[in-house]
């Protein structure tokens, strides 16, 4: 038997129940003069009883805002289902938005040009009140675009060390350079002199910072066999990069992966090739997750509260929506947690 779809309550329903005109309901619900306080209270009480909520489209047309925050991700869609970082980030964002009854509009696109096109469309359609912007690039065009459009935004990640030159754009970032230095220091103290960094997308600013820090630390410590290899963050490319590195004439004694998924894939490749971890190869994951803690051996990883990072990003965006100025805020640096996947290098024993 077909069910009749539930009908949303309307202003007409509220007027009929409260015994007033539709214009009186409109005045009362929009905080406009024209009705007594007693009538306004009665109308709002009836609206609550009926479960009435203002239409988002109507709010946008009236200039009251869309009650929605946007997030666009220009990354390969196949990498999102398995990478825990964005799931945890979004969970923290949503926790804060829910407290203000704001929605999150999420879209995945092919590249940066498509992302900018989405921003222009959302602005023209009044779809969002503000934006969370991820994966800053070198020479990133998005802050200038959003500033021209007048869309408040929080950029999650440092903009090449720049401050917040825009009135309604904040940046929230963690120290990738310090985090990479802590990894290199840990591996160096264990006697590792051949280190490979299997990195993420080469166009991302944080990838470049990590690679630059690795080179600087290698030069400072006199390590000639240190290099970075870029990937799309997927387990497939992480595994393939690991195979190539382990098949070389001078394979690394330690590999640092830019996410948990690639680290677990690399661990599987090492096992398949008969390379024991950590006896012959040490492995470090950039972002900790249940995957890192569930493998055998458990993976040494950089640990941070990613959900809290998401909450902080959403809180800074709400501050902008409330009329605040853009800020540049440094969040907590991820901390390296030593587990069973790292040990002294074979030649150091």
């Amino acid at each position: 038997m077909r069910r009749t779809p539930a009908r949303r309550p309307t202003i007409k329903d509220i007027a009929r129940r409260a015994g007033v005109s539709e214009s009186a309901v409109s005045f009362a619900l929009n905080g406009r003069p024209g009705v007594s306080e007693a009538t306004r209270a009665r109308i709002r009480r009836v609206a609550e009883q009926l479960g009435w909520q203002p239409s988002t489209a109507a709010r946008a047309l009236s200039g009251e805002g869309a009650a929605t925050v946007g997030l666009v991700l220009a990354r390969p869609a196949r990498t999102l289902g398995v990478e825990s970082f964005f799931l945890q980030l979004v969970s923290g964002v949503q926790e804060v938005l829910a407290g203000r009854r704001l929605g999150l509009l999420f879209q995945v696109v092919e590249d940066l040009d498509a992302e900018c096109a989405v921003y222009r469309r959302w602005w023209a359609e009044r779809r969002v009140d503000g934006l969370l912007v991820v994966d800053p690039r070198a020479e990133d065009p998005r802050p200038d675009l959003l500033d021209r459009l007048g869309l408040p935004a929080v950029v999650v990640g440092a903009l090449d060390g720049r401050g917040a030159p825009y009135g309604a754009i904040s940046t929230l970032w963690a120290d990738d350079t310090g985090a990479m230095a802590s990894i290199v220091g840990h591996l160096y103290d264990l006697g590792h002199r051949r280190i490979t960094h299997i990195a993420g997308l080469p166009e991302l600013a944080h990838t470049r910072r990590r690679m630059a820090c690795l080179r600087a630390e290698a030069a400072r410590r006199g390590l000639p066999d240190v290099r970075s290899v870029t990937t799309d963050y997927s387990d497939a490319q992480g595994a393939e990069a690991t195979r190539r590195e382990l098949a070389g004439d001078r394979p690394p004694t330690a590999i640092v992966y830019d996410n948990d998924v690639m680290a677990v894939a690399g661990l599987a490749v090492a096992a398949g090739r008969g390379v024991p971890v950590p006896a012959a190869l040490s492995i470090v994951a950039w972002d900790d997750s249940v995957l890192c803690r569930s493998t055998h051996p458990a993976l040494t990883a950089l640990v941070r509260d990613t959900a809290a990072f998401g909450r902080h990003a959403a809180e800074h965006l709400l501050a902008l929506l409330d009329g605040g100025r853009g800020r540049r805020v440094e969040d907590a640096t991820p901390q390296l947690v030593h587990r069973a996947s790292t040990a002294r290098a074979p030649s150091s024993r």
Side-chain angles (χ1 to χ4, degrees):
M1 182 177 68
R2 294 183 59 186
R3 294 185 177 181
T4 302
R7 189 175 67 85
R8 295 183 180 89
T10 65
I11 285 180
K12 183 179 293 186
D13 297 325
I14 298 170
R16 186 181 302 114
R17 175 78 67 87
V20 298
S21 66
E22 292 179 33
S23 60
V25 173
S26 179
F27 291 155
L29 295 179
N30 289 297
R32 293 161 56 192
V35 294
S36 69
E37 288 306 312
T39 300
R40 189 187 308 276
R42 185 168 81 255
I43 289 171
R44 288 180 172 175
R45 186 167 60 251
V46 169
E48 183 176 351
Q49 291 169 352
L50 292 176
W52 178 87
Q53 294 291 333
S55 161
T56 298
R59 286 171 56 90
L61 289 173
S62 67
E64 294 180 20
T68 302
V69 167
L71 171 61
V72 181
L73 196 59
R75 279 200 186 188
R78 66 182 179 278
T79 67
L80 301 182
V82 292
E83 189 175 359
S84 64
F85 174 82
F86 278 108
L87 297 176
Q88 295 177 49
L89 184 77
V90 169
S91 72
V93 167
Q94 187 58 44
E95 183 179 339
V96 171
L97 296 184
R100 287 277 290 266
R101 304 180 72 178
L102 295 174
L104 179 65
L105 182 59
F106 177 66
Q107 187 165 340
V108 179
V109 296
E110 295 179 358
D111 53 35
L112 200 59
D113 288 340
E115 182 176 341
C116 290
V118 169
Y119 293 153
R120 294 187 186 95
R121 187 176 73 251
W122 283 356
W123 171 80
E125 296 173 352
R126 301 182 182 179
R127 294 288 299 277
V128 298
D129 298 321
L131 295 163
L132 293 165
V133 179
V134 298
D135 291 341
R137 269 76 165 175
E139 306 299 325
D140 200 316
R142 293 173 296 176
D144 284 337
L145 170 63
L146 298 178
D147 187 53
R148 290 197 305 271
L149 295 177
L151 275 173
V154 171
V155 178
V156 181
L159 288 165
D160 289 334
R162 289 180 290 168
Y166 308 99
I169 297 178
S170 292
T171 58
L172 177 70
W173 59 284
D175 185 5
D176 290 294
T177 299
M180 177 59 85
S182 71
I183 293 174
V184 177
H186 171 66
L187 295 175
Y188 182 85
D189 290 344
L190 291 174
H192 293 278
R193 302 297 181 262
R194 298 196 304 275
I195 302 170
T196 294
H197 170 215
I198 296 184
L201 296 165
E203 65 268 24
L204 301 186
H206 68 252
T207 300
R208 297 188 180 195
R209 283 194 297 273
R210 295 173 190 181
M211 292 168 63
C213 178
L214 180 66
R215 291 193 300 270
E217 288 294 310
R220 186 171 73 86
R221 298 173 185 272
L223 305 178
D225 291 335
V226 172
R227 70 196 213 99
S228 295
V229 179
T230 58
T231 70
D232 67 356
Y233 284 109
S234 70
D235 57 331
Q237 289 201 10
E240 180 55 34
T242 304
R243 291 188 193 97
R244 290 196 305 268
E245 291 300 305
L246 294 182
D249 293 335
R250 288 175 58 81
T253 62
I255 302 180
V256 181
Y257 294 87
D258 259 5
N259 69 8
D260 55 339
V261 173
M262 293 196 297
V264 172
L267 179 64
V269 168
R273 295 180 65 89
V275 178
V277 175
L281 176 69
S282 286
I283 289 179
V284 179
W286 191 272
D287 282 311
D288 189 35
S289 73
V290 66
L291 287 177
C292 297
R293 299 188 294 273
S294 302
T295 58
H296 182 74
L299 299 182
T300 295
L302 284 171
V303 175
R304 66 174 163 191
D305 189 340
T306 306
F309 195 44
R311 289 195 298 273
H312 298 161
E315 288 164 356
H316 288 297
L317 182 55
L318 292 184
L320 293 174
L321 296 180
D322 290 337
R325 297 278 301 173
R327 301 174 58 207
R328 185 173 186 268
V329 183
E330 182 177 359
D331 209 77
T333 302
Q335 299 298 306
L336 189 67
V337 173
H338 180 197
R339 300 192 182 111
S341 68
T342 52
R344 296 200 62 80
S347 59
S348 302
R349 294 182 179 133

